Amino acid sequence: MSILTRRHLLRRAALSAAATPVGAVLGTTALATTATGLGGCQPTDQADDTATASDPATRRSFPPDFGWGAATSAYQIEGAAKEDGRGESIWDTFSHTPGRIRNGDTGDVAADHYQRYAEDLDLMRDLGLRSYRFSISWPRIQPDGTGAANRRGLDFYRRLVDGLHERGIAPMATLFHWDLPQSLQDTGGWENRDVAQRFADYATIVFDALGDRVPVWLTINEPKTVVQNGYLSGHHAPGRQDPDAAYLVAHHLQLAHGLAVRALRATGGTSRIGPAFNLHPCYPGDDTAAAAAAARLYDGYENRLYLDSALTGNYPADVLADLGSDSRMVRGIRDDDLDIISSPIDLLAVQYYTPIYVTASGGTAHRWPTSEADWQQIYPDGMYDTLTRVTRDYGPIPLTVTENGLPTPDVLGADGTVADDGRVTYLRDHLRAAHRAIAEGVPLESFHVWSLLDNFEWAEGYEQRWGLIYVDYPTQRRVFKRSAHWYRQVIADNAV
Ligand code: GCO
């Protein structure tokens, strides 16, 4: 388990101390190929910063009916932590633990979406959204994680889904975006295999209540982030630093995904379902064989662990070998588990934020400028590489991008505007990269910006602003940022 001691601290961790300046690592060598089967890294799109969707010379049209969307998650926006019988989640516990969240922030109020959802639905309509991805809070539905449904919690999501349909916006609901009921954590959380079955029970309640009104379900949001941040670095709930537990958790999250897929099929409904994986292209940090080998294994932990098990019914042999036969994960895999995990899915949700450059020693390096999130290197071609890689390696399964975005230092100006030009450039370049993948045959059907609104960015609290729409937290006033105006035009043009 050598790799476990030094890796997996990338996502949202303080990388600055560990990161090696890229120039020092990469020199001038272009990374023409990778050991991960990702294909070549194309030169970054040198797009003209002034171009808009309406410039016919540079405009790229998307397929008709492309699902232009935006995404949020329950704990990050809803607030109303004690409303209508909601139980506690591990994020309530974690955010109320001193020292865990920047500035001592919590999700108690967040963007107050639970109370203001009707106003937010109108903003989505004004934006022209065709798809809205949100998550359902498990502790609103089952306050203790088991047993009968809390009707008032379900009613909130019924109202939300109805409001989306009334405005012509397709709902896309994530069943689990990290807010595990605290009562289930008290029984061992995702280390306890039984929690996967509890998740399927919860999913069944939600499917029965909302059924075909939600045409697309996503099971587990970013299992990798739960593993890496919740159980390796410990800077997310439940705040553990236990590599051996981490990969048992990975297995149980994958199992929970498969059980939920089967639960949906058992309802006989017509909705589609799939997992939501954050995929990071892993490139060798130099042209040595050692860096190529290190990048290949890194890719196993970042991507193939989740993709292979869900799409091919196998865990990658190199990762299992690296974990070792005495690891809790390997010992925890039972007959039939991989059949459950690879239950046929209808689509795959991809979240792309950053590439990873892996050095010969298995560390990571930065090659591109970062956003305010120091783990995020801005590299639009990583979007292209990720989408084309999935299609090449796993076949033509329909894809949706369910998250892509960045935090920018947004300020509400005296004139009432928010000039987030960096977000416009970022989204335009990433959409162009996605467009290039579509043009080469990748079956990408929709794209969701992270995020609709500024919100609670986990361990970063409210300091980072990721939204298209600015939230003035003291008043809860919403203001379209420049990027929201730009995105509305992109949607209207169906082109970028
Ligand atoms: C995730 C989550 C979001 C984050 C976003 C920005 O991908 O981690 O789905 O909840 O807020 O990614 O970090």
Side-chain angles (χ1 to χ4, degrees):
M1 281 205 289
S2 56
I3 197 167
L4 297 179
T5 56
R6 61 171 186 263
R7 65 174 318 285
H8 293 317
L9 304 181
L10 177 81
R11 187 96 164 105
R12 289 178 206 81
L15 254 194
S16 34
T20 313
V22 157
V25 175
L26 298 177
T28 54
T29 312
L31 298 174
T33 56
T34 76
T36 64
L38 289 172
C41 309
Q42 313 302 320
T44 303
D45 207 352
Q46 296 297 324
D48 168 8
D49 274 1
T50 61
T52 68
S54 44
D55 288 338
T58 56
R59 164 189 182 115
R60 286 135 172 101
S61 292
F62 279 70
D65 302 325
F66 190 72
W68 298 102
T72 62
S73 87
Y75 190 73
Q76 294 181 274
I77 64 166
E78 286 180 358
K82 298 193 189 306
E83 218 61 40
D84 290 342
R86 176 184 179 276
E88 290 202 347
S89 83
I90 58 173
W91 271 95
D92 295 294
T93 309
F94 194 72
S95 66
H96 282 271
T97 304
R100 290 300 201 175
I101 312 292
R102 195 181 290 271
N103 304 321
D105 291 339
T106 74
D108 288 1
V109 178
D112 197 28
H113 171 76
Y114 193 80
Q115 311 294 352
R116 294 168 194 266
Y117 74 94
E119 176 192 346
D120 291 339
L121 285 167
D122 286 345
L123 292 172
M124 293 179 217
R125 181 199 54 210
D126 295 348
L127 200 48
L129 290 192
R130 297 182 187 162
S131 177
Y132 173 53
R133 177 198 177 218
F134 60 98
S135 82
I136 293 177
S137 160
W138 187 349
R140 284 199 197 282
I141 308 304
Q142 290 179 303
D144 294 326
T146 60
N150 170 30
R151 186 187 48 76
R152 289 176 296 168
L154 281 174
D155 283 347
F156 170 71
Y157 296 105
R158 286 197 183 98
R159 293 193 297 275
L160 182 69
V161 167
D162 288 349
L164 288 165
H165 283 293
E166 283 158 17
R167 291 164 180 81
I169 302 167
M172 181 184 281
T174 309
L175 290 164
F176 180 73
H177 202 123
W178 307 349
D179 43 1
L180 186 74
Q182 180 61 44
S183 302
L184 293 182
Q185 188 65 39
D186 297 341
T187 70
W190 289 110
E191 282 176 83
N192 177 355
R193 183 183 171 96
D194 185 55
V195 170
Q197 190 57 55
R198 299 283 77 74
F199 177 71
D201 295 346
Y202 150 70
T204 299
I205 291 173
V206 176
F207 296 148
D208 286 345
L210 297 171
D212 294 346
R213 301 281 288 158
V214 174
V216 176
W217 294 99
L218 303 177
T219 53
I220 308 258
N221 179 71
E222 298 191 356
K224 180 174 70 185
T225 308
V226 175
V227 171
Q228 296 186 359
N229 294 3
Y231 286 86
L232 286 175
S233 72
H235 70 289
H236 278 189
R240 298 277 305 283
Q241 291 185 316
D242 182 344
D244 208 19
Y247 289 93
L248 183 64
V249 164
H251 179 58
H252 292 159
L253 287 164
Q254 292 295 84
L255 190 62
H257 153 78
L259 289 169
V261 172
R262 292 192 171 184
L264 180 71
R265 304 301 183 215
T267 68
T270 59
S271 305
R272 299 189 299 157
I273 192 164
F277 296 149
N278 53 329
L279 303 177
H280 293 139
C282 298
Y283 307 109
D286 60 43
D287 55 10
T288 62
R296 173 71 185 164
L297 182 57
Y298 220 103
D299 175 66
Y301 277 101
E302 291 288 332
N303 305 313
R304 288 180 285 115
L305 186 66
Y306 306 95
L307 289 167
D308 285 10
S309 52
L311 293 163
T312 74
N314 296 293
Y315 280 120
D318 55 346
V319 174
L320 291 186
D322 192 63
L323 287 165
S325 55
D326 59 342
S327 65
R328 288 179 71 194
M329 175 191 173
V330 175
R331 285 187 287 121
I333 302 172
R334 297 193 191 160
D335 291 350
D336 300 337
D337 281 3
L338 280 150
D339 286 344
I340 295 169
I341 292 171
S342 60
S343 300
I345 54 176
D346 304 299
L347 80 174
L348 177 71
V350 173
Q351 320 199 149
Y352 170 74
Y353 287 99
T354 189
I356 298 177
Y357 292 87
V358 185
T359 63
S361 62
T364 57
H366 277 191
R367 178 169 187 171
W368 307 104
T370 55
S371 73
E372 282 192 320
D374 58 7
W375 50 266
Q376 181 180 35
Q377 299 179 62
I378 299 177
Y379 183 60
D381 284 346
M383 171 72 86
Y384 169 86
D385 285 347
T386 298
L387 294 173
T388 52
R389 181 261 180 107
V390 170
T391 300
R392 186 169 52 244
D393 291 357
Y394 299 93
I397 180 164
L399 302 182
T400 170
V401 169
T402 40
E403 291 185 24
N404 178 241
L406 87 173
T408 51
D410 302 332
V411 176
L412 180 58
D415 59 354
T417 65
V418 182
D420 61 335
D421 296 16
R423 179 167 290 104
V424 172
T425 303
Y426 176 96
L427 290 174
R428 185 206 55 210
D429 291 351
H430 284 76
L431 279 165
R432 287 181 175 178
H435 183 274
R436 193 150 52 94
I438 294 171
E440 292 178 20
V442 169
L444 178 66
E445 55 183 53
S446 56
F447 183 101
H448 301 78
V449 174
W450 184 272
S451 180
L452 176 72
L453 300 166
D454 291 338
N455 60 49
F456 177 80
E457 176 58 13
W458 308 112
E460 302 301 328
Y462 296 99
E463 205 155 283
Q464 292 180 1
R465 291 181 175 273
W466 289 76
L468 292 164
I469 298 174
Y470 185 90
V471 176
D472 180 45
Y473 292 109
T475 62
Q476 291 292 348
R477 188 175 147 224
R478 274 76 162 134
V479 179
F480 269 35
K481 301 181 190 176
R482 187 168 292 168
S483 60
H485 292 289
W486 171 84
Y487 194 47
R488 176 167 54 192
Q489 191 61 45
V490 168
I491 298 172
D493 293 344
N494 200 42
V496 69

